[in-house]
Amino acid sequence: MEIRELFFGHRRVCLYHLVNGSAPLVYSIDYHENGQLLLDACKQVGCSGFNLVTISGLHWNQELSPWPVETVVSKDDNFAGEAPQWLPVLTGDVVPQVERLLDAPPAWRCLAGYSLAGLFAVWAAYHTDLFSRILSASGSMWYPGWLDYARANEPALPLQGVYLSVGDKESTSRNAVLQTVGERTQALALLLAERGLNVKFEFNPGNHFKNPPLRVVKGIKWLMENE
């Protein structure tokens, strides 16, 4: 395994080159760099045969939120709506520079994310055709205005696979907005399925913070087995 590290401003990008030749390439956004945790979880579920890119160090609430909203979780939320500024960096700088380090073009690309990054991954599919697979684990589908946006718009590319999951205890939050995450994630899955996309929705045991790497790699495995 070869690991290459790049920086794009404050953002850290790590390429885990695991497979030679054309192979699926998963871009995974998370709060901290967690490539080895993801690979360890892959061993648990028997998932292999892809290359991995981790992206961390983002200004989380600012750069992953699709549009500004008022305080939802706490007074320090700062959902600034800077996703439209971050996405061109991802597609125009990160992806080309990473893929120049590979020995062959990827068989396909997946954009994956956890929590707010999961919302970003799905939102990004409406604005770029670079990723044919989308993975959102415990994604922030509670985000104000998101479900209405998804209903009113279409992904930029006819996606080959969409994996959505949520913890079965996430909707027990005391916060009235966060309580909607389960029903809204299911509603999004139904919406995309009705539009003819190959969609998997899954409940995982536990709250929002239980074993994020395992939740992500379960999605990777499903996407690889349902090409």
Side-chain angles (χ1 to χ4, degrees), residues 9-40:
H10 53 276
R11 310 169 192 97
R12 180 185 180 190
V13 176
C14 294
L15 166 64
Y16 292 77
H17 197 175
L18 307 163
V19 182
N20 291 323
S22 183
L25 182 58
V26 177
Y27 288 84
S28 180
I29 303 175
D30 211 329
Y31 195 81
H32 298 292
E33 203 291 314
N34 64 346
Q36 192 57 58
L37 291 175
L38 291 173
L39 296 180
D40 290 344

PDB file of all heavy atoms in Angstrom, residues 9-40:
ATOM      1  N   GLY A   9      -4.693  24.280   0.784  1.00  0.00           N
ATOM      2  CA  GLY A   9      -4.964  25.220   1.856  1.00  0.00           C
ATOM      3  C   GLY A   9      -4.987  24.474   3.180  1.00  0.00           C
ATOM      4  O   GLY A   9      -4.064  23.726   3.507  1.00  0.00           O
ATOM      5  N   HIS A  10      -6.080  24.629   3.926  1.00  0.00           N
ATOM      6  CA  HIS A  10      -6.209  23.983   5.227  1.00  0.00           C
ATOM      7  C   HIS A  10      -6.715  22.551   5.113  1.00  0.00           C
ATOM      8  O   HIS A  10      -6.833  21.858   6.122  1.00  0.00           O
ATOM      9  CB  HIS A  10      -7.182  24.792   6.107  1.00  0.00           C
ATOM     10  CG  HIS A  10      -8.500  25.058   5.447  1.00  0.00           C
ATOM     11  ND1 HIS A  10      -8.697  26.113   4.581  1.00  0.00           N
ATOM     12  CD2 HIS A  10      -9.686  24.407   5.504  1.00  0.00           C
ATOM     13  CE1 HIS A  10      -9.948  26.101   4.152  1.00  0.00           C
ATOM     14  NE2 HIS A  10     -10.567  25.070   4.685  1.00  0.00           N
ATOM     15  N   ARG A  11      -6.987  22.087   3.916  1.00  0.00           N
ATOM     16  CA  ARG A  11      -7.575  20.770   3.723  1.00  0.00           C
ATOM     17  C   ARG A  11      -6.495  19.727   3.463  1.00  0.00           C
ATOM     18  O   ARG A  11      -5.629  19.913   2.608  1.00  0.00           O
ATOM     19  CB  ARG A  11      -8.578  20.807   2.571  1.00  0.00           C
ATOM     20  CG  ARG A  11      -9.574  21.957   2.701  1.00  0.00           C
ATOM     21  CD  ARG A  11     -10.364  22.111   1.411  1.00  0.00           C
ATOM     22  NE  ARG A  11     -11.124  23.358   1.392  1.00  0.00           N
ATOM     23  CZ  ARG A  11     -10.714  24.474   0.803  1.00  0.00           C
ATOM     24  NH1 ARG A  11      -9.518  24.512   0.204  1.00  0.00           N
ATOM     25  NH2 ARG A  11     -11.470  25.555   0.825  1.00  0.00           N
ATOM     26  N   ARG A  12      -6.591  18.620   4.168  1.00  0.00           N
ATOM     27  CA  ARG A  12      -5.625  17.528   4.035  1.00  0.00           C
ATOM     28  C   ARG A  12      -6.237  16.393   3.217  1.00  0.00           C
ATOM     29  O   ARG A  12      -7.347  15.949   3.499  1.00  0.00           O
ATOM     30  CB  ARG A  12      -5.236  17.009   5.416  1.00  0.00           C
ATOM     31  CG  ARG A  12      -4.218  15.866   5.413  1.00  0.00           C
ATOM     32  CD  ARG A  12      -4.012  15.351   6.825  1.00  0.00           C
ATOM     33  NE  ARG A  12      -3.049  14.249   6.863  1.00  0.00           N
ATOM     34  CZ  ARG A  12      -2.825  13.494   7.938  1.00  0.00           C
ATOM     35  NH1 ARG A  12      -3.499  13.728   9.065  1.00  0.00           N
ATOM     36  NH2 ARG A  12      -1.943  12.520   7.894  1.00  0.00           N
ATOM     37  N   VAL A  13      -5.506  15.952   2.216  1.00  0.00           N
ATOM     38  CA  VAL A  13      -5.978  14.880   1.342  1.00  0.00           C
ATOM     39  C   VAL A  13      -4.955  13.755   1.351  1.00  0.00           C
ATOM     40  O   VAL A  13      -3.773  13.979   1.122  1.00  0.00           O
ATOM     41  CB  VAL A  13      -6.188  15.400  -0.098  1.00  0.00           C
ATOM     42  CG1 VAL A  13      -6.586  14.263  -1.031  1.00  0.00           C
ATOM     43  CG2 VAL A  13      -7.241  16.503  -0.120  1.00  0.00           C
ATOM     44  N   CYS A  14      -5.413  12.535   1.620  1.00  0.00           N
ATOM     45  CA  CYS A  14      -4.531  11.368   1.643  1.00  0.00           C
ATOM     46  C   CYS A  14      -5.039  10.330   0.648  1.00  0.00           C
ATOM     47  O   CYS A  14      -6.203   9.942   0.691  1.00  0.00           O
ATOM     48  CB  CYS A  14      -4.475  10.750   3.039  1.00  0.00           C
ATOM     49  SG  CYS A  14      -3.703  11.802   4.289  1.00  0.00           S
ATOM     50  N   LEU A  15      -4.153   9.905  -0.246  1.00  0.00           N
ATOM     51  CA  LEU A  15      -4.471   8.845  -1.198  1.00  0.00           C
ATOM     52  C   LEU A  15      -3.896   7.536  -0.694  1.00  0.00           C
ATOM     53  O   LEU A  15      -2.686   7.419  -0.478  1.00  0.00           O
ATOM     54  CB  LEU A  15      -3.887   9.181  -2.571  1.00  0.00           C
ATOM     55  CG  LEU A  15      -3.849   8.028  -3.589  1.00  0.00           C
ATOM     56  CD1 LEU A  15      -5.261   7.562  -3.942  1.00  0.00           C
ATOM     57  CD2 LEU A  15      -3.081   8.437  -4.839  1.00  0.00           C
ATOM     58  N   TYR A  16      -4.749   6.562  -0.502  1.00  0.00           N
ATOM     59  CA  TYR A  16      -4.351   5.198  -0.151  1.00  0.00           C
ATOM     60  C   TYR A  16      -4.446   4.375  -1.437  1.00  0.00           C
ATOM     61  O   TYR A  16      -5.524   3.951  -1.836  1.00  0.00           O
ATOM     62  CB  TYR A  16      -5.267   4.629   0.931  1.00  0.00           C
ATOM     63  CG  TYR A  16      -5.117   5.308   2.272  1.00  0.00           C
ATOM     64  CD1 TYR A  16      -5.681   6.557   2.509  1.00  0.00           C
ATOM     65  CD2 TYR A  16      -4.412   4.705   3.308  1.00  0.00           C
ATOM     66  CE1 TYR A  16      -5.548   7.195   3.741  1.00  0.00           C
ATOM     67  CE2 TYR A  16      -4.273   5.326   4.550  1.00  0.00           C
ATOM     68  CZ  TYR A  16      -4.841   6.566   4.750  1.00  0.00           C
ATOM     69  OH  TYR A  16      -4.707   7.194   5.978  1.00  0.00           O
ATOM     70  N   HIS A  17      -3.283   4.208  -2.065  1.00  0.00           N
ATOM     71  CA  HIS A  17      -3.221   3.495  -3.351  1.00  0.00           C
ATOM     72  C   HIS A  17      -3.088   2.009  -3.047  1.00  0.00           C
ATOM     73  O   HIS A  17      -2.010   1.508  -2.767  1.00  0.00           O
ATOM     74  CB  HIS A  17      -2.045   4.002  -4.180  1.00  0.00           C
ATOM     75  CG  HIS A  17      -2.137   3.628  -5.620  1.00  0.00           C
ATOM     76  ND1 HIS A  17      -1.237   4.075  -6.549  1.00  0.00           N
ATOM     77  CD2 HIS A  17      -3.029   2.865  -6.302  1.00  0.00           C
ATOM     78  CE1 HIS A  17      -1.557   3.591  -7.739  1.00  0.00           C
ATOM     79  NE2 HIS A  17      -2.640   2.856  -7.613  1.00  0.00           N
ATOM     80  N   LEU A  18      -4.201   1.320  -3.121  1.00  0.00           N
ATOM     81  CA  LEU A  18      -4.278  -0.081  -2.695  1.00  0.00           C
ATOM     82  C   LEU A  18      -4.290  -1.053  -3.857  1.00  0.00           C
ATOM     83  O   LEU A  18      -3.884  -2.209  -3.712  1.00  0.00           O
ATOM     84  CB  LEU A  18      -5.556  -0.292  -1.864  1.00  0.00           C
ATOM     85  CG  LEU A  18      -5.751   0.660  -0.678  1.00  0.00           C
ATOM     86  CD1 LEU A  18      -7.196   0.633  -0.222  1.00  0.00           C
ATOM     87  CD2 LEU A  18      -4.824   0.281   0.456  1.00  0.00           C
ATOM     88  N   VAL A  19      -4.782  -0.603  -5.025  1.00  0.00           N
ATOM     89  CA  VAL A  19      -5.003  -1.494  -6.161  1.00  0.00           C
ATOM     90  C   VAL A  19      -4.392  -0.870  -7.411  1.00  0.00           C
ATOM     91  O   VAL A  19      -4.621   0.305  -7.698  1.00  0.00           O
ATOM     92  CB  VAL A  19      -6.516  -1.724  -6.386  1.00  0.00           C
ATOM     93  CG1 VAL A  19      -6.739  -2.696  -7.538  1.00  0.00           C
ATOM     94  CG2 VAL A  19      -7.182  -2.222  -5.121  1.00  0.00           C
ATOM     95  N   ASN A  20      -3.606  -1.640  -8.144  1.00  0.00           N
ATOM     96  CA  ASN A  20      -3.064  -1.171  -9.412  1.00  0.00           C
ATOM     97  C   ASN A  20      -4.091  -1.353 -10.520  1.00  0.00           C
ATOM     98  O   ASN A  20      -4.969  -2.215 -10.440  1.00  0.00           O
ATOM     99  CB  ASN A  20      -1.784  -1.935  -9.766  1.00  0.00           C
ATOM    100  CG  ASN A  20      -0.636  -1.577  -8.839  1.00  0.00           C
ATOM    101  OD1 ASN A  20      -0.486  -0.423  -8.421  1.00  0.00           O
ATOM    102  ND2 ASN A  20       0.180  -2.558  -8.504  1.00  0.00           N
ATOM    103  N   GLY A  21      -3.952  -0.537 -11.537  1.00  0.00           N
ATOM    104  CA  GLY A  21      -4.887  -0.611 -12.646  1.00  0.00           C
ATOM    105  C   GLY A  21      -6.174   0.129 -12.336  1.00  0.00           C
ATOM    106  O   GLY A  21      -6.310   0.796 -11.309  1.00  0.00           O
ATOM    107  N   SER A  22      -7.131   0.002 -13.239  1.00  0.00           N
ATOM    108  CA  SER A  22      -8.402   0.709 -13.083  1.00  0.00           C
ATOM    109  C   SER A  22      -9.232   0.050 -11.993  1.00  0.00           C
ATOM    110  O   SER A  22      -9.560  -1.136 -12.081  1.00  0.00           O
ATOM    111  CB  SER A  22      -9.160   0.699 -14.405  1.00  0.00           C
ATOM    112  OG  SER A  22     -10.358   1.434 -14.305  1.00  0.00           O
ATOM    113  N   ALA A  23      -9.571   0.806 -10.968  1.00  0.00           N
ATOM    114  CA  ALA A  23     -10.337   0.295  -9.826  1.00  0.00           C
ATOM    115  C   ALA A  23     -11.255   1.405  -9.330  1.00  0.00           C
ATOM    116  O   ALA A  23     -11.015   2.594  -9.580  1.00  0.00           O
ATOM    117  CB  ALA A  23      -9.404  -0.148  -8.705  1.00  0.00           C
ATOM    118  N   PRO A  24     -12.322   1.062  -8.615  1.00  0.00           N
ATOM    119  CA  PRO A  24     -13.155   2.106  -8.016  1.00  0.00           C
ATOM    120  C   PRO A  24     -12.335   3.009  -7.103  1.00  0.00           C
ATOM    121  O   PRO A  24     -11.405   2.554  -6.431  1.00  0.00           O
ATOM    122  CB  PRO A  24     -14.187   1.297  -7.220  1.00  0.00           C
ATOM    123  CG  PRO A  24     -14.254  -0.019  -7.909  1.00  0.00           C
ATOM    124  CD  PRO A  24     -12.858  -0.293  -8.379  1.00  0.00           C
ATOM    125  N   LEU A  25     -12.683   4.279  -7.088  1.00  0.00           N
ATOM    126  CA  LEU A  25     -11.977   5.271  -6.272  1.00  0.00           C
ATOM    127  C   LEU A  25     -12.995   5.970  -5.382  1.00  0.00           C
ATOM    128  O   LEU A  25     -13.919   6.619  -5.874  1.00  0.00           O
ATOM    129  CB  LEU A  25     -11.265   6.281  -7.168  1.00  0.00           C
ATOM    130  CG  LEU A  25     -10.444   7.370  -6.485  1.00  0.00           C
ATOM    131  CD1 LEU A  25      -9.353   6.771  -5.603  1.00  0.00           C
ATOM    132  CD2 LEU A  25      -9.827   8.303  -7.523  1.00  0.00           C
ATOM    133  N   VAL A  26     -12.822   5.822  -4.075  1.00  0.00           N
ATOM    134  CA  VAL A  26     -13.743   6.402  -3.102  1.00  0.00           C
ATOM    135  C   VAL A  26     -13.114   7.635  -2.480  1.00  0.00           C
ATOM    136  O   VAL A  26     -12.028   7.560  -1.888  1.00  0.00           O
ATOM    137  CB  VAL A  26     -14.092   5.391  -1.999  1.00  0.00           C
ATOM    138  CG1 VAL A  26     -14.990   6.040  -0.945  1.00  0.00           C
ATOM    139  CG2 VAL A  26     -14.781   4.164  -2.594  1.00  0.00           C
ATOM    140  N   TYR A  27     -13.771   8.776  -2.620  1.00  0.00           N
ATOM    141  CA  TYR A  27     -13.383  10.013  -1.952  1.00  0.00           C
ATOM    142  C   TYR A  27     -14.247  10.140  -0.704  1.00  0.00           C
ATOM    143  O   TYR A  27     -15.470  10.304  -0.795  1.00  0.00           O
ATOM    144  CB  TYR A  27     -13.620  11.219  -2.859  1.00  0.00           C
ATOM    145  CG  TYR A  27     -12.659  11.330  -4.018  1.00  0.00           C
ATOM    146  CD1 TYR A  27     -12.880  10.623  -5.202  1.00  0.00           C
ATOM    147  CD2 TYR A  27     -11.539  12.152  -3.943  1.00  0.00           C
ATOM    148  CE1 TYR A  27     -12.007  10.732  -6.269  1.00  0.00           C
ATOM    149  CE2 TYR A  27     -10.659  12.265  -5.017  1.00  0.00           C
ATOM    150  CZ  TYR A  27     -10.905  11.558  -6.179  1.00  0.00           C
ATOM    151  OH  TYR A  27     -10.032  11.666  -7.241  1.00  0.00           O
ATOM    152  N   SER A  28     -13.632  10.056   0.467  1.00  0.00           N
ATOM    153  CA  SER A  28     -14.373  10.069   1.728  1.00  0.00           C
ATOM    154  C   SER A  28     -14.031  11.317   2.534  1.00  0.00           C
ATOM    155  O   SER A  28     -12.867  11.554   2.871  1.00  0.00           O
ATOM    156  CB  SER A  28     -14.042   8.814   2.543  1.00  0.00           C
ATOM    157  OG  SER A  28     -14.744   8.815   3.768  1.00  0.00           O
ATOM    158  N   ILE A  29     -15.054  12.106   2.849  1.00  0.00           N
ATOM    159  CA  ILE A  29     -14.878  13.328   3.626  1.00  0.00           C
ATOM    160  C   ILE A  29     -15.281  13.062   5.069  1.00  0.00           C
ATOM    161  O   ILE A  29     -16.374  12.563   5.337  1.00  0.00           O
ATOM    162  CB  ILE A  29     -15.731  14.476   3.054  1.00  0.00           C
ATOM    163  CG1 ILE A  29     -15.378  14.732   1.577  1.00  0.00           C
ATOM    164  CG2 ILE A  29     -15.530  15.753   3.874  1.00  0.00           C
ATOM    165  CD1 ILE A  29     -16.267  15.768   0.916  1.00  0.00           C
ATOM    166  N   ASP A  30     -14.398  13.383   5.992  1.00  0.00           N
ATOM    167  CA  ASP A  30     -14.720  13.242   7.406  1.00  0.00           C
ATOM    168  C   ASP A  30     -14.008  14.329   8.191  1.00  0.00           C
ATOM    169  O   ASP A  30     -13.128  15.030   7.672  1.00  0.00           O
ATOM    170  CB  ASP A  30     -14.332  11.856   7.928  1.00  0.00           C
ATOM    171  CG  ASP A  30     -15.262  11.382   9.048  1.00  0.00           C
ATOM    172  OD1 ASP A  30     -15.762  12.247   9.796  1.00  0.00           O
ATOM    173  OD2 ASP A  30     -15.476  10.170   9.179  1.00  0.00           O
ATOM    174  N   TYR A  31     -14.393  14.468   9.450  1.00  0.00           N
ATOM    175  CA  TYR A  31     -13.870  15.566  10.264  1.00  0.00           C
ATOM    176  C   TYR A  31     -12.370  15.410  10.490  1.00  0.00           C
ATOM    177  O   TYR A  31     -11.594  16.356  10.362  1.00  0.00           O
ATOM    178  CB  TYR A  31     -14.605  15.602  11.600  1.00  0.00           C
ATOM    179  CG  TYR A  31     -14.406  16.900  12.361  1.00  0.00           C
ATOM    180  CD1 TYR A  31     -15.152  18.022  12.033  1.00  0.00           C
ATOM    181  CD2 TYR A  31     -13.481  16.996  13.391  1.00  0.00           C
ATOM    182  CE1 TYR A  31     -14.990  19.213  12.710  1.00  0.00           C
ATOM    183  CE2 TYR A  31     -13.305  18.183  14.077  1.00  0.00           C
ATOM    184  CZ  TYR A  31     -14.056  19.296  13.737  1.00  0.00           C
ATOM    185  OH  TYR A  31     -13.873  20.468  14.410  1.00  0.00           O
ATOM    186  N   HIS A  32     -11.938  14.191  10.829  1.00  0.00           N
ATOM    187  CA  HIS A  32     -10.523  13.886  11.027  1.00  0.00           C
ATOM    188  C   HIS A  32     -10.072  12.891   9.963  1.00  0.00           C
ATOM    189  O   HIS A  32     -10.871  12.107   9.448  1.00  0.00           O
ATOM    190  CB  HIS A  32     -10.287  13.272  12.415  1.00  0.00           C
ATOM    191  CG  HIS A  32     -10.655  14.176  13.544  1.00  0.00           C
ATOM    192  ND1 HIS A  32      -9.965  15.337  13.837  1.00  0.00           N
ATOM    193  CD2 HIS A  32     -11.661  14.108  14.456  1.00  0.00           C
ATOM    194  CE1 HIS A  32     -10.509  15.930  14.880  1.00  0.00           C
ATOM    195  NE2 HIS A  32     -11.542  15.211  15.272  1.00  0.00           N
ATOM    196  N   GLU A  33      -8.797  12.877   9.660  1.00  0.00           N
ATOM    197  CA  GLU A  33      -8.244  11.889   8.738  1.00  0.00           C
ATOM    198  C   GLU A  33      -8.414  10.506   9.362  1.00  0.00           C
ATOM    199  O   GLU A  33      -7.957  10.259  10.472  1.00  0.00           O
ATOM    200  CB  GLU A  33      -6.769  12.183   8.479  1.00  0.00           C
ATOM    201  CG  GLU A  33      -6.242  11.608   7.170  1.00  0.00           C
ATOM    202  CD  GLU A  33      -6.146  10.096   7.151  1.00  0.00           C
ATOM    203  OE1 GLU A  33      -5.638   9.508   8.133  1.00  0.00           O
ATOM    204  OE2 GLU A  33      -6.584   9.488   6.155  1.00  0.00           O
ATOM    205  N   ASN A  34      -9.072   9.607   8.647  1.00  0.00           N
ATOM    206  CA  ASN A  34      -9.415   8.324   9.237  1.00  0.00           C
ATOM    207  C   ASN A  34      -9.229   7.167   8.266  1.00  0.00           C
ATOM    208  O   ASN A  34      -9.932   6.162   8.334  1.00  0.00           O
ATOM    209  CB  ASN A  34     -10.859   8.342   9.753  1.00  0.00           C
ATOM    210  CG  ASN A  34     -11.868   8.519   8.622  1.00  0.00           C
ATOM    211  OD1 ASN A  34     -11.508   8.888   7.508  1.00  0.00           O
ATOM    212  ND2 ASN A  34     -13.130   8.255   8.902  1.00  0.00           N
ATOM    213  N   GLY A  35      -8.275   7.301   7.365  1.00  0.00           N
ATOM    214  CA  GLY A  35      -8.085   6.289   6.340  1.00  0.00           C
ATOM    215  C   GLY A  35      -7.813   4.904   6.898  1.00  0.00           C
ATOM    216  O   GLY A  35      -8.407   3.922   6.441  1.00  0.00           O
ATOM    217  N   GLN A  36      -6.931   4.817   7.892  1.00  0.00           N
ATOM    218  CA  GLN A  36      -6.611   3.499   8.426  1.00  0.00           C
ATOM    219  C   GLN A  36      -7.803   2.897   9.159  1.00  0.00           C
ATOM    220  O   GLN A  36      -8.022   1.686   9.107  1.00  0.00           O
ATOM    221  CB  GLN A  36      -5.409   3.569   9.364  1.00  0.00           C
ATOM    222  CG  GLN A  36      -4.834   2.200   9.724  1.00  0.00           C
ATOM    223  CD  GLN A  36      -4.436   1.399   8.498  1.00  0.00           C
ATOM    224  OE1 GLN A  36      -3.627   1.836   7.692  1.00  0.00           O
ATOM    225  NE2 GLN A  36      -5.022   0.206   8.341  1.00  0.00           N
ATOM    226  N   LEU A  37      -8.594   3.731   9.837  1.00  0.00           N
ATOM    227  CA  LEU A  37      -9.805   3.231  10.492  1.00  0.00           C
ATOM    228  C   LEU A  37     -10.784   2.667   9.462  1.00  0.00           C
ATOM    229  O   LEU A  37     -11.415   1.631   9.697  1.00  0.00           O
ATOM    230  CB  LEU A  37     -10.471   4.343  11.293  1.00  0.00           C
ATOM    231  CG  LEU A  37      -9.725   4.838  12.533  1.00  0.00           C
ATOM    232  CD1 LEU A  37     -10.464   6.029  13.153  1.00  0.00           C
ATOM    233  CD2 LEU A  37      -9.571   3.720  13.558  1.00  0.00           C
ATOM    234  N   LEU A  38     -10.902   3.333   8.335  1.00  0.00           N
ATOM    235  CA  LEU A  38     -11.788   2.838   7.287  1.00  0.00           C
ATOM    236  C   LEU A  38     -11.284   1.510   6.731  1.00  0.00           C
ATOM    237  O   LEU A  38     -12.071   0.578   6.510  1.00  0.00           O
ATOM    238  CB  LEU A  38     -11.913   3.869   6.165  1.00  0.00           C
ATOM    239  CG  LEU A  38     -12.673   5.155   6.497  1.00  0.00           C
ATOM    240  CD1 LEU A  38     -12.554   6.150   5.346  1.00  0.00           C
ATOM    241  CD2 LEU A  38     -14.134   4.864   6.797  1.00  0.00           C
ATOM    242  N   LEU A  39      -9.977   1.423   6.517  1.00  0.00           N
ATOM    243  CA  LEU A  39      -9.429   0.181   5.975  1.00  0.00           C
ATOM    244  C   LEU A  39      -9.550  -0.963   6.973  1.00  0.00           C
ATOM    245  O   LEU A  39      -9.799  -2.114   6.590  1.00  0.00           O
ATOM    246  CB  LEU A  39      -7.974   0.398   5.571  1.00  0.00           C
ATOM    247  CG  LEU A  39      -7.756   1.402   4.428  1.00  0.00           C
ATOM    248  CD1 LEU A  39      -6.280   1.538   4.119  1.00  0.00           C
ATOM    249  CD2 LEU A  39      -8.543   1.003   3.186  1.00  0.00           C
ATOM    250  N   ASP A  40      -9.383  -0.666   8.255  1.00  0.00           N
ATOM    251  CA  ASP A  40      -9.582  -1.701   9.278  1.00  0.00           C
ATOM    252  C   ASP A  40     -11.031  -2.184   9.277  1.00  0.00           C
ATOM    253  O   ASP A  40     -11.302  -3.382   9.412  1.00  0.00           O
ATOM    254  CB  ASP A  40      -9.212  -1.158  10.662  1.00  0.00           C
ATOM    255  CG  ASP A  40      -7.717  -0.931  10.818  1.00  0.00           C
ATOM    256  OD1 ASP A  40      -6.939  -1.463   9.998  1.00  0.00           O
ATOM    257  OD2 ASP A  40      -7.334  -0.214  11.762  1.00  0.00           O
TER     258      ASP A  40
END
